[in-house]
Amino acid sequence: MRKLIIPLVLAGLIISCGEKKEEKKEGFEMNRAKKEVKAEPVSEGVPVDMDNKGVGPIKSVTFADEIDTDLAAKGQKTFSTICVACHMAEQRLIGPALKGVFERRSPEWVMNMILNPDGMLKEDPIAQALLKEYNNAIMLNQNLSEEDARAVAEYLRTL
């Protein structure tokens, strides 16, 4: 008989402990389960402004319809020596990707940024927005001549 009672008692305990009834209480309820909330990245963005000529010595630049391949080759040499430390053609690095830069900025602005980054960062709103977007990575003045800057600009047209 004892052998029969012990399994019955154990079965009764298992059945009685198996089901929990949850009571709903009115009022304050605290749920400790973590819910993952993904924040949308806030990007103020840098405006596209083709009328802004920037701050510096360049007041007017006119590109020919055809790319000057000799000038672009000279610009590519300068770019690959100096600019590649911070810029790539199609990918952000320390500075912005430069492919299609003339769809976002005027040629004067680009050349003034090359020749006068200090003045541009102090006075130009687009340069200041770019500085903020790129974690305050300052573009250094490379002391290029206007001819070198024009060659780099011609190379940037080929990207």
Side-chain angles (χ1 to χ4, degrees):
M1 180 89 167
R2 260 187 154 166
K3 290 182 181 181
L4 187 59
I5 293 176
I6 292 176
L8 286 175
V9 171
L10 286 175
L13 281 173
I14 292 173
I15 291 172
S16 66
C17 293
E19 188 177 325
K20 273 189 173 179
K21 290 188 178 179
E22 204 171 295
E23 292 182 25
K24 288 260 184 180
K25 295 181 182 177
E26 289 189 33
F28 180 75
E29 181 179 320
M30 186 170 167
N31 187 352
R32 294 181 187 235
K34 280 190 173 181
K35 293 181 183 176
E36 188 175 326
V37 177
K38 291 185 180 180
E40 292 285 324
V42 178
S43 175
E44 295 165 18
V46 179
V48 173
D49 186 356
M50 299 301 289
D51 295 326
N52 183 349
K53 296 189 184 300
V55 178
I58 306 300
K59 304 299 178 203
S60 177
V61 175
T62 305
F63 287 142
D65 290 338
E66 297 290 320
I67 291 176
D68 181 341
T69 55
D70 293 335
L71 189 60
K74 182 181 176 196
Q76 181 179 15
K77 183 178 177 187
T78 302
F79 183 88
S80 61
T81 316
I82 297 172
C83 308
V84 294
C86 298
H87 296 280
M88 293 179 70
E90 297 185 27
Q91 190 176 3
R92 288 176 63 132
L93 198 57
I94 294 169
L98 294 177
K99 182 176 184 177
V101 69
F102 294 116
E103 296 168 8
R104 302 182 302 270
R105 310 281 174 259
S106 69
E108 296 86 1
W109 189 94
V110 172
M111 287 187 60
N112 280 323
M113 190 66 186
I114 293 169
L115 294 170
N116 184 30
D118 303 324
M120 291 282 285
L121 292 171
K122 286 179 187 172
E123 299 179 34
D124 185 75
I126 293 176
Q128 291 169 350
L130 283 167
L131 179 67
K132 185 177 178 183
E133 183 175 322
Y134 286 86
N135 301 318
N136 294 324
I138 295 173
M139 181 171 165
L140 301 175
N141 191 336
Q142 300 297 324
N143 297 313
L144 296 177
S145 67
E146 286 187 24
E147 295 79 30
D148 289 338
R150 178 62 182 87
V152 170
E154 192 71 14
Y155 169 66
L156 294 177
R157 290 179 63 199
T158 67
L159 299 179

